[in-house]
Each structure stands twice: as C-alpha cells, then as structure tokens.
Amino acid sequence: MDRRPILVIATRNPGKTAEIRGLLQGFAVDIRSLTDFGPIPEVEEDGTTFDENAYKKSSFAARVLGLPALADDSGIVVEALDGAPGVHSARYGGEGLSDAERCRKLLAAMNGSTRRRAVFECVISLAVPCGPALTYEARCEGLLAEAPAGVSGFGYDPLFYYPPLGKTFAQMTPEEKNRVSHRGKALNELRAEFGKVIQWIRRHMPPDDPWNRIPDGGCPLPCPP
Ligand code: ITT
C-alpha cells in the first residue's frame, strides 16, 4: 500500500491538472486529483479576485477530503477590455463553450483593437483541513495574437503570444511553457521551498497522519531535479 503522504490537486480542469502534476514531479508525495475521490460538490467561484477563489477551492477540498489540497485560480486579463475576462475566464461567453469558441469570442470582443497587451495571472492556494493556507502567485505578460496559433496546452493558449520566445503558449512544449508561464512561476516558488511547505503541513495534520511520518531533518523528501 502506498503510504506516501497525499496531496490533492483540487481542480476539474484537465489542462491544469497535467501542468501541476508535471511541475510537482519528483517529490515523494502521492498526488491525487478530485476525480480519484468520487463525487464532491462543486464550489461556487463567486470571489472577486483570483486569491479569493483559489482559497475557496483549496480550503473546501481540504475540509471535505481531510487532506492537504492545492488549488489554482487563474485567468487572462486583457488591457483593452478593462481586465476582462479576468476571474471569469473559465466561463467567458457563457457556460458550455469549448476553448476554441471562447478564443473566438475573445478575438471578436477585441474588434481589431491595436492595444493587444494581456496578462495571465495565477494564484495557487495550498490549504490544510483545519483552515490555514499558503499562497503563491505569479503573472506572465504577453500580447493577444490576431488569430489562434498552435495546438498544445488548453484554454486561451493559442491566443497568448509571448514576445521573448516569439510564439504563442500553444506553440510551446510543456517544458517551455512551464518555464515562463504564470502557473509555472507560481509552482516553481512553491517547489523552491518544498521542505518548508512540508514542515508547515505537518504542523497542521494529526500526529498519526502519513505527513507526520516523514523522517525529521533537512529536506525530508527527494528534491526534484
Ligand atoms: P478549476 O476551477 O476546476 O481549477 P477552471 O478551468 O474553472 O478549473 P479557473 O476558474 O481558474 O479554472 O479558470 C481559469 C480559466 O482561465 C481556464 O478555464 C482557462 O480558460 C484560462 N486559463 C488559465 N490558465 C491558462 C493557461 O495556462 N492557458 C490557457 N488558458 C488558461
């Protein structure tokens, strides 16, 4: 039986799950996603900031499952649209649209504007069942392309042109995107202090929890490359 401590990735977005799993690879932690636990009620993401929504998702999952949970709230903030879609990125244009339809909707809203600056923002919240949470946040600045380009990634990746590499997120390999993206940067901060994060989780979990059976001293888990 796997006795490694469990960390839940509290997202229903498969694109995010894949990226977060990739970024947390190499740690001796059993990473589970919400789909590993059967039906769990959905949290209403009615916060006005990425921060609020990230905490809502992580603390809800941690409380319901009794396990440390990591959530991501993110979105694309477009200057010419006064910050839209922002926290509403996942449902921009209405429920039930595909990623491609949302991209088309965003391009149509830009109506040929020459102001193309856009920022991807991400807040990662890691909560324990008794309530407290750690927060990491990062952003990535770029431009909205005039037309979709590339097939990798998810969401608005085909529209997000990153000038330093001369391509959209959807034209990058996962490794390239992770090095520069909002999510990659936020999770790299977490990775950089993973030893401390583990100590923090341990203090908030019961003494007999697998998190508290990690040996004491130094970085208690194998560090990623
Ligand atoms: P969860 O709440 O279950 O995590 P979600 O997709 O609803 O999934 P958000 O509320 O955080 O997540 O919405 C984020 C949306 O922003 C996401 O659905 C994409 O449309 C977009 N987005 C965020 N990060 C992105 C990225 O790296 N590439 C492309 N689009 C991204």
Side-chain angles (χ1 to χ4, degrees):
M1 198 169 92
D2 194 344
R3 296 303 295 158
R4 289 179 304 168
I6 295 174
L7 178 64
V8 179
I9 305 177
T11 174
R12 296 177 197 275
N13 180 320
K16 279 188 191 179
T17 306
E19 288 187 7
I20 296 170
R21 269 189 188 281
L23 283 155
L24 294 180
Q25 238 175 37
F27 290 112
V29 173
D30 182 2
I31 295 184
R32 305 273 182 91
S33 77
L34 289 181
T35 54
D36 293 322
F37 296 93
I40 297 170
E42 276 198 39
V43 191
E44 204 182 337
E45 292 184 42
D46 54 2
T48 54
T49 61
F50 295 115
D51 200 54
E52 258 182 87
N53 285 333
Y55 178 68
K56 271 180 167 243
K57 292 189 274 193
S58 66
S59 59
F60 183 77
R63 251 182 297 123
V64 168
L65 298 171
L67 294 165
L70 181 152
D72 160 312
D73 202 64
S74 46
I76 190 165
V77 174
V78 178
E79 185 185 275
L81 302 178
D82 298 327
V87 291
H88 305 294
S89 294
R91 282 158 298 280
Y92 183 62
E95 298 284 346
L97 294 193
S98 66
D99 282 349
E101 286 165 335
R102 269 186 235 293
C103 285
R104 275 201 290 280
K105 167 91 190 157
L106 184 55
L107 279 184
M110 289 295 286
N111 196 19
S113 168
T114 52
R115 284 170 64 205
R116 310 297 297 189
R117 282 160 59 131
V119 183
F120 261 128
E121 297 192 17
C122 173
V123 174
I124 298 284
S125 173
L126 196 167
V128 283
C130 56
L134 299 176
T135 303
Y136 297 84
E137 44 188 289
R139 61 208 308 271
C140 177
E141 294 182 9
L143 300 171
L144 266 197
E146 303 280 348
V151 293
S152 301
F154 67 98
Y156 301 96
D157 279 347
L159 290 188
F160 190 78
Y161 180 81
Y162 184 69
L165 292 186
K167 43 187 161 182
T168 67
F169 271 2
Q171 292 173 310
M172 295 182 186
T173 62
E175 293 73 26
E176 279 175 323
K177 181 182 170 189
N178 283 342
R179 265 198 294 277
V180 299
S181 78
H182 48 316
R183 182 167 303 103
K185 287 191 276 190
L187 278 168
N188 275 329
E189 271 181 43
L190 185 155
R191 282 167 55 119
E193 55 178 38
F194 207 63
K196 280 195 220 156
V197 172
I198 287 164
Q199 300 302 330
W200 179 86
I201 294 175
R202 289 171 59 149
R203 284 201 301 278
H204 292 95
M205 296 301 286
D208 60 342
D209 188 273
W211 282 98
N212 276 310
R213 288 205 287 273
I214 299 167
D216 272 326
C219 177
L221 296 176
C223 289

